[in-house]
Each structure stands twice: as structure tokens, then as C-alpha cells.
Amino acid sequence: MEDVRLHVRPAGDGWLVDAAGAVEPLLFRSGGRAEAQAHKLARTLARAGQFARVLVHDRAQKIVGSTIYAPQAGPLG
């Protein structure tokens, strides 16, 4: 199973969390809030048994941060 890549990137005056079809794109005014939501989604995916990766892009579209979430065994919660 391929990992889900959650990208946090600038979008106009805000920041976008996009996962290429795994979740609906989310738009935030704050980059910090966008990144926090991406990490929350990644933790949820990991608890559901999915590899997830958060990739944070700067305004030049360069990756400036990456976090991997490995699948976790056990019930959600």
C-alpha cells in the first residue's frame, strides 16, 4: 500500500492541505493551522493502518519539512 502524502503549500493569500484525492483539499489563512491539520490527518490515517507523510512547502514550492507517520496497530481512539 502506498503512503498518503499530505502537502501543505501556499495558495494565494492562504495555505492549502492537499492529499491527491485521499482527503478533500483544505484551505487555511495561517500556514501553522494548515500544518497542524495536516499532522492531525496523518495521525488519524496512521491509527487506521495507513502510512502517511506530511510535506511542508515554502512559498518557492521547496520542501522545508517532512514527517512520516507509520501505521499503528490496535483500535482507533
Side-chain angles (χ1 to χ4, degrees), residues 1 6-8 10-11 13-14 26 32-34 36 38-40 43 45-46 52-54 60 66-67 74-75 77:
M1 185 179 292
L6 296 151
H7 295 270
V8 179
D13 291 335
L26 303 168
R33 288 190 182 187
H39 286 286
K40 182 177 178 181
R43 286 190 299 273
L45 289 166
R53 181 180 304 217
V54 175
S66 177
T67 306

Side-chain angles (χ1 to χ4, degrees), residues 4-43:
V4 174
R5 294 172 181 244
L6 296 151
H7 295 270
V8 179
R9 59 179 98 228
D13 291 335
W15 290 83
L16 181 70
V17 175
D18 185 24
V23 297
E24 290 293 320
L26 303 168
L27 186 62
F28 296 85
R29 289 185 184 195
S30 159
R33 288 190 182 187
E35 187 174 347
Q37 184 62 40
H39 286 286
K40 182 177 178 181
L41 288 167
R43 286 190 299 273

Side-chain angles (χ1 to χ4, degrees), residues 50-73:
Q50 180 77 42
F51 274 101
R53 181 180 304 217
V54 175
L55 299 161
V56 180
H57 302 259
D58 65 9
R59 292 208 178 268
Q61 296 300 324
K62 292 182 182 179
I63 296 174
V64 295
S66 177
T67 306
I68 297 171
Y69 292 83
Q72 300 173 3

